[in-house]
Amino acid sequence: MKLAIHSAGQIGELIRCERKRQKILQQDLADLSGVSLHFLSNLENGKATVEFRKVLLVLRSLGIEMELHTRYTDKEVS
């Protein structure tokens, strides 16, 4: 599934939904990812100032890959 993300809230929602789909408790995911329960709660609630490195750890623990794409073609960039 591909998903366009435009906010921290959308990332948090995706993480919460996938965690619940996999039937993983917040504390278990926090432990698996090496982050605190407080951090994971903030992330799932869309806090925009969370540490990006830790976000990537949580995504990896859930099996979620992130790809970034520009909206511009090579001809539009000079």
Side-chain angles (χ1 to χ4, degrees):
M1 169 177 54
K2 290 187 178 185
L3 187 63
I5 299 289
H6 300 285
S7 71
Q10 288 176 311
I11 292 174
E13 184 178 345
L14 169 68
I15 288 170
R16 177 182 286 119
C17 289
E18 183 60 20
R19 176 180 61 77
K20 288 182 175 186
R21 188 190 70 76
Q22 293 185 30
K23 296 179 173 53
I24 301 172
L25 298 174
Q26 273 189 328
Q27 185 63 62
D28 292 339
L29 178 57
D31 293 343
L32 182 64
S33 303
V35 302
S36 70
L37 178 59
H38 181 73
F39 173 86
L40 183 59
S41 177
N42 283 339
L43 176 58
E44 287 189 357
N45 286 305
K47 184 175 181 186
T49 58
V50 294
E51 188 177 334
F52 189 67
R53 178 185 66 81
K54 292 180 180 180
V55 174
L56 294 176
L57 290 172
V58 173
L59 291 172
R60 186 175 304 124
S61 295
L62 287 170
I64 299 172
E65 294 181 353
M66 180 183 293
E67 290 185 21
L68 304 174
H69 301 275
T70 64
R71 294 182 182 179
Y72 307 102
T73 64
D74 290 337
K75 293 178 183 179
E76 294 173 321
V77 178
S78 52

